Structures are given as structure tokens and as C-alpha cells.
Amino acid sequence: MDCKREAESELRLYNVRKLSIVSLEGKISELDARIDLATDNMQESYRYRKRKMEAQLSWLKRWLKGMDVCLGALPEEDRAVLAAFYINRGKDSIPRLMKKLGVCMSSVYRYRETAITRFATVMYGGVQI
């Protein structure tokens, strides 16, 4: 597996997984209320679902913390490039990035290549998986 491609995939999932944390926290709270009101038969089913959701929530929080640590280890310019290309990509992301960095289109893509290489190195230690 190519570390840079994997890093790009992880960055594209950043916002979705961040939102999943909020969603799961709400669903766990909802299950807590249902457990209190449920019959004995249903309580065990709800508790099982809650444990599964808590495990997923724990994994998502660890993933997000790891991503934040890796992103935080990069220079601000790299973080801005990665955000524009992968995390908060919109139709005007690249032109805004060009303006922010004061560079042309081809330079922005060279910056992207450098930033994703640095991020993959921080994330995977430069090891091909």
C-alpha cells in the first residue's frame, strides 16, 4: 500500500469521522435513557448496543487525536494546503489557497505534494505498508 494514498484517504475522512463522534455521543445518551425505561429483556440488548457504540466512539476519538497530533507536527503552510485539498475541499479552495500563499496553480500542486509527503512520513514513519 502507498503511504501517501493512504494518508490522502485518511485526510478525506477527517470531517466525517469528527461528525460521527458527535452523532455517536448522542446515540449513546439516547440508549442510556432507553435502558432506564426498558424491560429486562430489552435492557440487555440496549446495553450490548451501547457497548458496541462506546467501543466505536473510543476508536474514533483515538483516530482523531492521532490525526490532530500528526497535523500539528506540520508547519502551518502544510496544514493549510492539506485542509484545502483534502479536509475542507470546496470549489474555491484552490484559488483561495493560491491567494493565501501568493503562488500560481502549479506551485500549489507542488506544495500539495510536499505537504502530503510530510504528513505521510509523520503518520507512518516513511514506511511503505
Side-chain angles (χ1 to χ4, degrees):
M1 174 173 49
D2 180 10
C3 288
K4 285 200 291 190
R5 286 185 194 262
E6 184 67 21
E8 289 171 329
S9 295
E10 295 289 318
L11 288 166
R12 286 185 185 107
L13 291 170
Y14 186 90
N15 284 333
V16 172
R17 286 184 173 165
K18 197 170 185 178
L19 287 172
S20 294
I21 290 172
V22 175
S23 174
L24 275 172
E25 288 172 338
K27 288 181 183 214
I28 290 168
S29 293
E30 187 180 302
L31 277 175
D32 280 336
R34 285 185 178 189
I35 289 170
D36 292 340
L37 301 173
T39 62
D40 289 340
N41 273 353
M42 290 305 297
Q43 280 183 350
E44 192 53 42
S45 173
Y46 289 148
R47 284 189 184 106
Y48 174 78
R49 287 172 51 193
K50 181 182 174 189
R51 283 191 304 272
K52 289 293 214 182
M53 286 183 192
E54 286 172 336
Q56 181 66 16
L57 178 62
S58 176
W59 180 86
L60 284 167
K61 285 181 175 181
R62 284 191 316 272
W63 180 89
L64 184 64
K65 183 178 180 180
M67 291 291 287
D68 287 343
V69 167
C70 290
L71 287 167
L74 300 175
E76 173 57 36
E77 190 174 83
D78 286 356
R79 288 194 302 270
V81 169
L82 295 173
F85 274 95
Y86 303 107
I87 299 172
N88 300 317
R89 181 131 192 192
K91 65 180 181 179
D92 64 338
S93 297
I94 306 309
R96 282 188 293 130
L97 184 61
M98 288 168 53
K99 186 176 181 178
K100 179 178 181 175
L101 298 176
V103 297
C104 65
M105 181 75 76
S106 60
S107 293
V108 166
Y109 283 91
R110 280 193 297 274
Y111 275 91
R112 177 188 69 174
E113 200 51 39
T114 300
I116 195 64
T117 299
R118 284 183 184 148
F119 180 73
T121 301
V122 170
M123 197 158 170
Y124 301 111
V127 176
Q128 291 296 321
I129 300 172

Short mmCIF file of all heavy atoms in Angstrom, two decimals, residues 13-72:
data_model
loop_
_atom_site.label_atom_id
_atom_site.label_comp_id
_atom_site.label_asym_id
_atom_site.label_seq_id
_atom_site.Cartn_x
_atom_site.Cartn_y
_atom_site.Cartn_z
N LEU A 13 -11.42 11.63 5.17
CA LEU A 13 -12.39 11.14 6.15
C LEU A 13 -12.45 11.98 7.42
O LEU A 13 -13.30 11.76 8.28
CB LEU A 13 -12.05 9.69 6.53
CG LEU A 13 -12.26 8.65 5.44
CD1 LEU A 13 -11.66 7.32 5.86
CD2 LEU A 13 -13.74 8.51 5.13
N TYR A 14 -11.56 12.93 7.56
CA TYR A 14 -11.41 13.69 8.80
C TYR A 14 -12.73 14.29 9.29
O TYR A 14 -13.15 14.05 10.42
CB TYR A 14 -10.35 14.78 8.61
CG TYR A 14 -10.01 15.53 9.87
CD1 TYR A 14 -8.99 15.09 10.70
CD2 TYR A 14 -10.70 16.68 10.23
CE1 TYR A 14 -8.67 15.77 11.87
CE2 TYR A 14 -10.39 17.37 11.38
CZ TYR A 14 -9.37 16.91 12.19
OH TYR A 14 -9.07 17.59 13.35
N ASN A 15 -13.38 15.07 8.46
CA ASN A 15 -14.61 15.75 8.90
C ASN A 15 -15.76 14.79 9.15
O ASN A 15 -16.53 14.97 10.10
CB ASN A 15 -15.03 16.83 7.90
CG ASN A 15 -14.17 18.07 8.02
OD1 ASN A 15 -13.63 18.37 9.07
ND2 ASN A 15 -14.03 18.79 6.92
N VAL A 16 -15.87 13.77 8.34
CA VAL A 16 -16.95 12.79 8.51
C VAL A 16 -16.78 12.06 9.84
O VAL A 16 -17.75 11.89 10.59
CB VAL A 16 -16.97 11.78 7.34
CG1 VAL A 16 -17.94 10.64 7.60
CG2 VAL A 16 -17.30 12.48 6.05
N ARG A 17 -15.57 11.66 10.13
CA ARG A 17 -15.34 10.95 11.39
C ARG A 17 -15.49 11.87 12.59
O ARG A 17 -15.97 11.44 13.64
CB ARG A 17 -13.97 10.28 11.37
CG ARG A 17 -13.97 9.06 10.46
CD ARG A 17 -12.68 8.31 10.49
NE ARG A 17 -12.80 7.08 9.73
CZ ARG A 17 -11.78 6.36 9.34
NH1 ARG A 17 -10.54 6.73 9.64
NH2 ARG A 17 -11.97 5.27 8.64
N LYS A 18 -15.12 13.12 12.43
CA LYS A 18 -15.31 14.09 13.52
C LYS A 18 -16.80 14.26 13.83
O LYS A 18 -17.20 14.29 14.99
CB LYS A 18 -14.67 15.42 13.11
CG LYS A 18 -14.42 16.35 14.25
CD LYS A 18 -13.59 17.53 13.79
CE LYS A 18 -13.22 18.41 14.95
NZ LYS A 18 -12.39 19.53 14.54
N LEU A 19 -17.62 14.33 12.79
CA LEU A 19 -19.06 14.42 12.98
C LEU A 19 -19.64 13.13 13.57
O LEU A 19 -20.59 13.17 14.33
CB LEU A 19 -19.76 14.73 11.65
CG LEU A 19 -19.61 16.15 11.14
CD1 LEU A 19 -20.18 16.27 9.72
CD2 LEU A 19 -20.28 17.14 12.07
N SER A 20 -19.04 12.01 13.22
CA SER A 20 -19.50 10.72 13.76
C SER A 20 -19.37 10.67 15.27
O SER A 20 -20.18 10.04 15.95
CB SER A 20 -18.71 9.57 13.14
OG SER A 20 -18.97 9.46 11.79
N ILE A 21 -18.36 11.33 15.80
CA ILE A 21 -18.17 11.38 17.25
C ILE A 21 -19.38 12.03 17.91
O ILE A 21 -19.95 11.50 18.87
CB ILE A 21 -16.86 12.10 17.62
CG1 ILE A 21 -15.67 11.25 17.21
CG2 ILE A 21 -16.81 12.45 19.10
CD1 ILE A 21 -14.32 11.94 17.34
N VAL A 22 -19.79 13.16 17.38
CA VAL A 22 -20.96 13.87 17.94
C VAL A 22 -22.21 13.01 17.82
O VAL A 22 -22.99 12.90 18.76
CB VAL A 22 -21.14 15.23 17.22
CG1 VAL A 22 -22.41 15.93 17.69
CG2 VAL A 22 -19.93 16.12 17.43
N SER A 23 -22.38 12.38 16.67
CA SER A 23 -23.54 11.53 16.44
C SER A 23 -23.57 10.36 17.42
O SER A 23 -24.61 10.06 18.03
CB SER A 23 -23.52 11.03 15.00
OG SER A 23 -24.56 10.11 14.79
N LEU A 24 -22.44 9.68 17.57
CA LEU A 24 -22.40 8.52 18.48
C LEU A 24 -22.63 8.93 19.93
O LEU A 24 -23.29 8.21 20.67
CB LEU A 24 -21.05 7.81 18.35
CG LEU A 24 -20.96 6.78 17.24
CD1 LEU A 24 -19.53 6.29 17.08
CD2 LEU A 24 -21.89 5.61 17.49
N GLU A 25 -22.09 10.08 20.33
CA GLU A 25 -22.33 10.54 21.70
C GLU A 25 -23.82 10.74 21.95
O GLU A 25 -24.34 10.37 23.00
CB GLU A 25 -21.54 11.82 21.96
CG GLU A 25 -20.06 11.59 22.10
CD GLU A 25 -19.23 12.86 22.17
OE1 GLU A 25 -19.68 13.93 21.72
OE2 GLU A 25 -18.09 12.77 22.68
N GLY A 26 -24.52 11.29 20.96
CA GLY A 26 -25.96 11.47 21.09
C GLY A 26 -26.71 10.15 21.14
O GLY A 26 -27.64 9.98 21.93
N LYS A 27 -26.30 9.20 20.32
CA LYS A 27 -26.96 7.90 20.31
C LYS A 27 -26.72 7.13 21.60
O LYS A 27 -27.60 6.43 22.09
CB LYS A 27 -26.48 7.08 19.11
CG LYS A 27 -27.02 7.61 17.81
CD LYS A 27 -26.56 6.78 16.63
CE LYS A 27 -27.07 7.44 15.37
NZ LYS A 27 -27.42 6.52 14.34
N ILE A 28 -25.54 7.28 22.17
CA ILE A 28 -25.25 6.62 23.45
C ILE A 28 -26.11 7.21 24.55
O ILE A 28 -26.67 6.48 25.38
CB ILE A 28 -23.74 6.71 23.78
CG1 ILE A 28 -22.95 5.82 22.81
CG2 ILE A 28 -23.48 6.33 25.23
CD1 ILE A 28 -21.45 6.02 22.85
N SER A 29 -26.28 8.52 24.55
CA SER A 29 -27.15 9.17 25.54
C SER A 29 -28.59 8.70 25.38
O SER A 29 -29.29 8.46 26.37
CB SER A 29 -27.09 10.69 25.40
OG SER A 29 -25.83 11.16 25.75
N GLU A 30 -29.00 8.57 24.14
CA GLU A 30 -30.36 8.08 23.86
C GLU A 30 -30.54 6.65 24.37
O GLU A 30 -31.58 6.32 24.96
CB GLU A 30 -30.59 8.13 22.35
CG GLU A 30 -31.99 7.82 21.92
CD GLU A 30 -32.11 7.90 20.41
OE1 GLU A 30 -31.82 8.97 19.84
OE2 GLU A 30 -32.50 6.88 19.81
N LEU A 31 -29.54 5.82 24.18
CA LEU A 31 -29.62 4.44 24.69
C LEU A 31 -29.66 4.40 26.21
O LEU A 31 -30.35 3.57 26.79
CB LEU A 31 -28.45 3.61 24.17
CG LEU A 31 -28.61 3.03 22.79
CD1 LEU A 31 -27.33 2.34 22.34
CD2 LEU A 31 -29.77 2.05 22.73
N ASP A 32 -28.91 5.30 26.86
CA ASP A 32 -28.97 5.37 28.32
C ASP A 32 -30.40 5.60 28.80
O ASP A 32 -30.86 4.96 29.75
CB ASP A 32 -28.07 6.50 28.84
CG ASP A 32 -26.61 6.10 28.90
OD1 ASP A 32 -26.31 4.90 29.00
OD2 ASP A 32 -25.76 7.01 28.83
N ALA A 33 -31.11 6.51 28.14
CA ALA A 33 -32.49 6.79 28.51
C ALA A 33 -33.38 5.57 28.24
O ALA A 33 -34.26 5.25 29.04
CB ALA A 33 -33.00 8.00 27.73
N ARG A 34 -33.14 4.89 27.14
CA ARG A 34 -33.94 3.71 26.82
C ARG A 34 -33.69 2.57 27.80
O ARG A 34 -34.61 1.83 28.13
CB ARG A 34 -33.63 3.23 25.41
CG ARG A 34 -34.23 4.09 24.35
CD ARG A 34 -33.97 3.48 22.99
NE ARG A 34 -34.59 4.30 21.96
CZ ARG A 34 -34.68 3.92 20.71
NH1 ARG A 34 -34.22 2.76 20.32
NH2 ARG A 34 -35.24 4.71 19.83
N ILE A 35 -32.46 2.42 28.23
CA ILE A 35 -32.13 1.36 29.19
C ILE A 35 -32.94 1.53 30.46
O ILE A 35 -33.48 0.58 31.01
CB ILE A 35 -30.61 1.32 29.48
CG1 ILE A 35 -29.85 0.80 28.26
CG2 ILE A 35 -30.30 0.47 30.72
CD1 ILE A 35 -28.34 0.95 28.34
N ASP A 36 -33.01 2.78 30.93
CA ASP A 36 -33.75 3.06 32.17
C ASP A 36 -35.24 2.73 32.06
O ASP A 36 -35.86 2.35 33.03
CB ASP A 36 -33.58 4.53 32.56
CG ASP A 36 -32.16 4.85 32.99
OD1 ASP A 36 -31.42 3.91 33.35
OD2 ASP A 36 -31.79 6.04 32.96
N LEU A 37 -35.79 2.86 30.86
CA LEU A 37 -37.23 2.66 30.66
C LEU A 37 -37.58 1.27 30.13
O LEU A 37 -38.75 0.91 30.10
CB LEU A 37 -37.77 3.71 29.69
CG LEU A 37 -37.59 5.17 30.11
CD1 LEU A 37 -38.00 6.11 28.99
CD2 LEU A 37 -38.37 5.47 31.38
N ALA A 38 -36.60 0.51 29.74
CA ALA A 38 -36.86 -0.76 29.06
C ALA A 38 -37.16 -1.89 30.03
O ALA A 38 -36.79 -1.86 31.20
CB ALA A 38 -35.65 -1.13 28.21
N THR A 39 -37.79 -2.91 29.46
CA THR A 39 -38.00 -4.15 30.22
C THR A 39 -36.66 -4.87 30.36
O THR A 39 -35.70 -4.55 29.66
CB THR A 39 -38.99 -5.07 29.48
OG1 THR A 39 -38.41 -5.42 28.22
CG2 THR A 39 -40.33 -4.38 29.27
N ASP A 40 -36.61 -5.86 31.23
CA ASP A 40 -35.36 -6.59 31.45
C ASP A 40 -34.82 -7.19 30.16
O ASP A 40 -33.61 -7.18 29.92
CB ASP A 40 -35.56 -7.70 32.49
CG ASP A 40 -35.75 -7.12 33.89
OD1 ASP A 40 -35.36 -5.96 34.10
OD2 ASP A 40 -36.27 -7.84 34.75
N ASN A 41 -35.70 -7.76 29.33
CA ASN A 41 -35.27 -8.35 28.05
C ASN A 41 -34.58 -7.32 27.17
O ASN A 41 -33.55 -7.61 26.57
CB ASN A 41 -36.47 -8.92 27.29
CG ASN A 41 -36.79 -10.33 27.69
OD1 ASN A 41 -36.04 -10.94 28.45
ND2 ASN A 41 -37.89 -10.85 27.19
N MET A 42 -35.15 -6.17 27.05
CA MET A 42 -34.63 -5.14 26.15
C MET A 42 -33.40 -4.45 26.73
O MET A 42 -32.55 -3.99 25.98
CB MET A 42 -35.71 -4.10 25.84
CG MET A 42 -36.83 -4.62 24.95
SD MET A 42 -36.25 -5.34 23.39
CE MET A 42 -35.49 -3.95 22.61
N GLN A 43 -33.31 -4.40 28.05
CA GLN A 43 -32.16 -3.74 28.66
C GLN A 43 -30.84 -4.35 28.20
O GLN A 43 -29.89 -3.64 27.89
CB GLN A 43 -32.25 -3.78 30.19
CG GLN A 43 -33.18 -2.74 30.76
CD GLN A 43 -33.19 -2.75 32.28
OE1 GLN A 43 -32.65 -3.66 32.92
NE2 GLN A 43 -33.80 -1.74 32.85
N GLU A 44 -30.79 -5.68 28.16
CA GLU A 44 -29.55 -6.33 27.75
C GLU A 44 -29.20 -6.03 26.30
O GLU A 44 -28.04 -5.80 25.96
CB GLU A 44 -29.63 -7.85 27.97
CG GLU A 44 -28.29 -8.53 27.84
CD GLU A 44 -27.20 -7.94 28.72
OE1 GLU A 44 -27.46 -7.60 29.90
OE2 GLU A 44 -26.06 -7.78 28.21
N SER A 45 -30.20 -5.98 25.45
CA SER A 45 -29.99 -5.63 24.04
C SER A 45 -29.45 -4.20 23.92
O SER A 45 -28.51 -3.95 23.17
CB SER A 45 -31.29 -5.78 23.27
OG SER A 45 -31.14 -5.30 21.96
N TYR A 46 -30.05 -3.28 24.66
CA TYR A 46 -29.60 -1.89 24.63
C TYR A 46 -28.18 -1.75 25.19
O TYR A 46 -27.37 -0.99 24.68
CB TYR A 46 -30.56 -0.99 25.40
CG TYR A 46 -31.90 -0.78 24.73
CD1 TYR A 46 -33.05 -0.59 25.49
CD2 TYR A 46 -32.03 -0.74 23.35
CE1 TYR A 46 -34.28 -0.37 24.89
CE2 TYR A 46 -33.24 -0.53 22.74
CZ TYR A 46 -34.37 -0.35 23.52
OH TYR A 46 -35.58 -0.14 22.91
N ARG A 47 -27.89 -2.50 26.26
CA ARG A 47 -26.54 -2.43 26.85
C ARG A 47 -25.49 -2.95 25.86
O ARG A 47 -24.40 -2.39 25.76
CB ARG A 47 -26.49 -3.24 28.14
CG ARG A 47 -27.14 -2.53 29.31
CD ARG A 47 -26.87 -3.28 30.63
NE ARG A 47 -27.58 -2.63 31.69
CZ ARG A 47 -28.68 -3.12 32.27
NH1 ARG A 47 -29.17 -4.29 31.90
NH2 ARG A 47 -29.28 -2.45 33.23
N TYR A 48 -25.84 -4.02 25.15
CA TYR A 48 -24.92 -4.56 24.15
C TYR A 48 -24.67 -3.52 23.05
O TYR A 48 -23.52 -3.26 22.68
CB TYR A 48 -25.50 -5.84 23.54
CG TYR A 48 -24.68 -6.37 22.39
CD1 TYR A 48 -23.50 -7.08 22.64
CD2 TYR A 48 -25.06 -6.15 21.08
CE1 TYR A 48 -22.73 -7.56 21.60
CE2 TYR A 48 -24.29 -6.63 20.02
CZ TYR A 48 -23.13 -7.33 20.29
OH TYR A 48 -22.37 -7.80 19.25
N ARG A 49 -25.72 -2.91 22.53
CA ARG A 49 -25.58 -1.88 21.50
C ARG A 49 -24.76 -0.70 22.02
O ARG A 49 -23.92 -0.14 21.31
CB ARG A 49 -26.95 -1.41 21.02
CG ARG A 49 -27.62 -2.46 20.15
CD ARG A 49 -29.04 -2.15 19.80
NE ARG A 49 -29.24 -0.83 19.25
CZ ARG A 49 -30.44 -0.28 19.11
NH1 ARG A 49 -31.53 -0.94 19.45
NH2 ARG A 49 -30.56 0.93 18.60
N LYS A 50 -25.00 -0.34 23.28
CA LYS A 50 -24.26 0.77 23.87
C LYS A 50 -22.76 0.45 23.96
O LYS A 50 -21.92 1.29 23.63
CB LYS A 50 -24.81 1.09 25.27
CG LYS A 50 -24.11 2.24 25.94
CD LYS A 50 -24.65 2.50 27.33
CE LYS A 50 -23.80 3.56 28.00
NZ LYS A 50 -24.13 3.73 29.41
N ARG A 51 -22.42 -0.78 24.38
CA ARG A 51 -21.01 -1.17 24.46
C ARG A 51 -20.35 -1.10 23.08
O ARG A 51 -19.21 -0.65 22.95
CB ARG A 51 -20.86 -2.57 25.06
CG ARG A 51 -21.04 -2.63 26.56
CD ARG A 51 -20.61 -3.97 27.15
NE ARG A 51 -21.30 -5.11 26.56
CZ ARG A 51 -22.47 -5.59 26.99
NH1 ARG A 51 -23.10 -5.02 27.99
NH2 ARG A 51 -23.01 -6.64 26.40
N LYS A 52 -21.05 -1.55 22.06
CA LYS A 52 -20.53 -1.50 20.70
C LYS A 52 -20.29 -0.05 20.27
O LYS A 52 -19.25 0.28 19.68
CB LYS A 52 -21.48 -2.17 19.70
CG LYS A 52 -21.54 -3.65 19.83
CD LYS A 52 -20.23 -4.25 19.43
CE LYS A 52 -20.42 -5.58 18.77
NZ LYS A 52 -19.16 -6.19 18.41
N MET A 53 -21.26 0.80 20.55
CA MET A 53 -21.13 2.21 20.18
C MET A 53 -20.00 2.89 20.97
O MET A 53 -19.27 3.71 20.42
CB MET A 53 -22.44 2.95 20.41
CG MET A 53 -23.50 2.65 19.40
SD MET A 53 -24.96 3.65 19.74
CE MET A 53 -26.14 2.86 18.66
N GLU A 54 -19.87 2.54 22.24
CA GLU A 54 -18.79 3.13 23.05
C GLU A 54 -17.42 2.70 22.52
O GLU A 54 -16.48 3.50 22.51
CB GLU A 54 -18.96 2.73 24.51
CG GLU A 54 -20.08 3.46 25.20
CD GLU A 54 -20.39 2.94 26.59
OE1 GLU A 54 -20.10 1.77 26.89
OE2 GLU A 54 -20.95 3.72 27.38
N ALA A 55 -17.31 1.45 22.08
CA ALA A 55 -16.05 0.98 21.51
C ALA A 55 -15.73 1.75 20.22
O ALA A 55 -14.59 2.17 20.00
CB ALA A 55 -16.11 -0.52 21.23
N GLN A 56 -16.74 1.94 19.39
CA GLN A 56 -16.54 2.69 18.14
C GLN A 56 -16.19 4.15 18.45
O GLN A 56 -15.29 4.73 17.82
CB GLN A 56 -17.80 2.63 17.26
CG GLN A 56 -17.68 3.36 15.96
CD GLN A 56 -16.67 2.75 15.00
OE1 GLN A 56 -16.25 1.61 15.17
NE2 GLN A 56 -16.26 3.50 14.01
N LEU A 57 -16.86 4.74 19.43
CA LEU A 57 -16.58 6.11 19.83
C LEU A 57 -15.14 6.24 20.34
O LEU A 57 -14.43 7.18 19.99
CB LEU A 57 -17.58 6.55 20.90
CG LEU A 57 -17.40 7.95 21.47
CD1 LEU A 57 -17.58 9.00 20.38
CD2 LEU A 57 -18.41 8.19 22.60
N SER A 58 -14.72 5.29 21.14
CA SER A 58 -13.36 5.31 21.66
C SER A 58 -12.34 5.24 20.52
O SER A 58 -11.36 5.98 20.51
CB SER A 58 -13.16 4.12 22.61
OG SER A 58 -11.85 4.06 23.05
N TRP A 59 -12.59 4.36 19.55
CA TRP A 59 -11.70 4.25 18.40
C TRP A 59 -11.66 5.56 17.60
O TRP A 59 -10.59 6.03 17.22
CB TRP A 59 -12.14 3.09 17.48
CG TRP A 59 -11.24 2.96 16.30
CD1 TRP A 59 -10.08 2.25 16.24
CD2 TRP A 59 -11.40 3.58 15.02
NE1 TRP A 59 -9.51 2.40 14.99
CE2 TRP A 59 -10.30 3.21 14.23
CE3 TRP A 59 -12.36 4.42 14.47
CZ2 TRP A 59 -10.14 3.64 12.92
CZ3 TRP A 59 -12.21 4.85 13.16
CH2 TRP A 59 -11.11 4.46 12.40
N LEU A 60 -12.83 6.15 17.36
CA LEU A 60 -12.89 7.41 16.61
C LEU A 60 -12.13 8.52 17.33
O LEU A 60 -11.41 9.30 16.69
CB LEU A 60 -14.34 7.84 16.38
CG LEU A 60 -15.09 7.08 15.30
CD1 LEU A 60 -16.59 7.37 15.39
CD2 LEU A 60 -14.56 7.43 13.92
N LYS A 61 -12.26 8.60 18.63
CA LYS A 61 -11.56 9.63 19.39
C LYS A 61 -10.05 9.43 19.33
O LYS A 61 -9.30 10.40 19.20
CB LYS A 61 -12.04 9.66 20.85
CG LYS A 61 -13.41 10.29 20.99
CD LYS A 61 -13.85 10.32 22.44
CE LYS A 61 -15.18 11.06 22.59
NZ LYS A 61 -15.61 11.12 24.00
N ARG A 62 -9.60 8.18 19.42
CA ARG A 62 -8.16 7.91 19.30
C ARG A 62 -7.67 8.25 17.90
O ARG A 62 -6.59 8.83 17.74
CB ARG A 62 -7.86 6.44 19.62
CG ARG A 62 -7.89 6.10 21.09
CD ARG A 62 -7.34 4.71 21.40
NE ARG A 62 -7.78 3.66 20.52
CZ ARG A 62 -8.89 2.94 20.68
NH1 ARG A 62 -9.67 3.15 21.72
NH2 ARG A 62 -9.20 1.99 19.81
N TRP A 63 -8.46 7.90 16.88
CA TRP A 63 -8.10 8.21 15.50
C TRP A 63 -7.97 9.72 15.32
O TRP A 63 -7.00 10.21 14.75
CB TRP A 63 -9.15 7.64 14.54
CG TRP A 63 -8.86 7.92 13.11
CD1 TRP A 63 -8.13 7.15 12.26
CD2 TRP A 63 -9.30 9.05 12.34
NE1 TRP A 63 -8.08 7.73 11.01
CE2 TRP A 63 -8.79 8.90 11.04
CE3 TRP A 63 -10.07 10.17 12.63
CZ2 TRP A 63 -9.02 9.84 10.03
CZ3 TRP A 63 -10.30 11.10 11.64
CH2 TRP A 63 -9.78 10.93 10.35
N LEU A 64 -8.97 10.47 15.79
CA LEU A 64 -8.97 11.92 15.65
C LEU A 64 -7.77 12.54 16.39
O LEU A 64 -7.11 13.43 15.86
CB LEU A 64 -10.28 12.52 16.15
CG LEU A 64 -10.44 14.02 15.98
CD1 LEU A 64 -10.46 14.39 14.50
CD2 LEU A 64 -11.71 14.50 16.66
N LYS A 65 -7.50 12.05 17.58
CA LYS A 65 -6.35 12.57 18.34
C LYS A 65 -5.05 12.30 17.58
O LYS A 65 -4.19 13.19 17.47
CB LYS A 65 -6.29 11.94 19.73
CG LYS A 65 -5.18 12.48 20.58
CD LYS A 65 -5.18 11.87 21.96
CE LYS A 65 -4.03 12.46 22.77
NZ LYS A 65 -3.95 11.92 24.11
N GLY A 66 -4.91 11.11 17.02
CA GLY A 66 -3.72 10.79 16.24
C GLY A 66 -3.58 11.68 15.02
O GLY A 66 -2.48 12.15 14.70
N MET A 67 -4.69 11.91 14.33
CA MET A 67 -4.66 12.80 13.17
C MET A 67 -4.26 14.21 13.58
O MET A 67 -3.45 14.85 12.91
CB MET A 67 -6.02 12.81 12.46
CG MET A 67 -6.37 11.52 11.76
SD MET A 67 -5.35 11.18 10.33
CE MET A 67 -6.00 12.36 9.17
N ASP A 68 -4.85 14.69 14.67
CA ASP A 68 -4.54 16.04 15.14
C ASP A 68 -3.06 16.17 15.54
O ASP A 68 -2.43 17.20 15.29
CB ASP A 68 -5.45 16.43 16.30
CG ASP A 68 -6.87 16.72 15.85
OD1 ASP A 68 -7.10 16.93 14.63
OD2 ASP A 68 -7.77 16.72 16.71
N VAL A 69 -2.52 15.13 16.16
CA VAL A 69 -1.10 15.15 16.53
C VAL A 69 -0.24 15.22 15.27
O VAL A 69 0.71 16.01 15.19
CB VAL A 69 -0.74 13.91 17.39
CG1 VAL A 69 0.77 13.74 17.51
CG2 VAL A 69 -1.36 14.04 18.78
N CYS A 70 -0.56 14.40 14.28
CA CYS A 70 0.21 14.39 13.03
C CYS A 70 0.10 15.73 12.31
O CYS A 70 1.10 16.28 11.85
CB CYS A 70 -0.26 13.26 12.11
SG CYS A 70 0.17 11.62 12.72
N LEU A 71 -1.12 16.25 12.22
CA LEU A 71 -1.29 17.55 11.57
C LEU A 71 -0.58 18.65 12.34
O LEU A 71 0.02 19.55 11.75
CB LEU A 71 -2.78 17.88 11.41
CG LEU A 71 -3.53 17.07 10.35
CD1 LEU A 71 -5.03 17.24 10.50
CD2 LEU A 71 -3.08 17.48 8.96
N GLY A 72 -0.64 18.58 13.66
CA GLY A 72 0.01 19.59 14.50
C GLY A 72 1.52 19.59 14.39
O GLY A 72 2.16 20.59 14.69
#
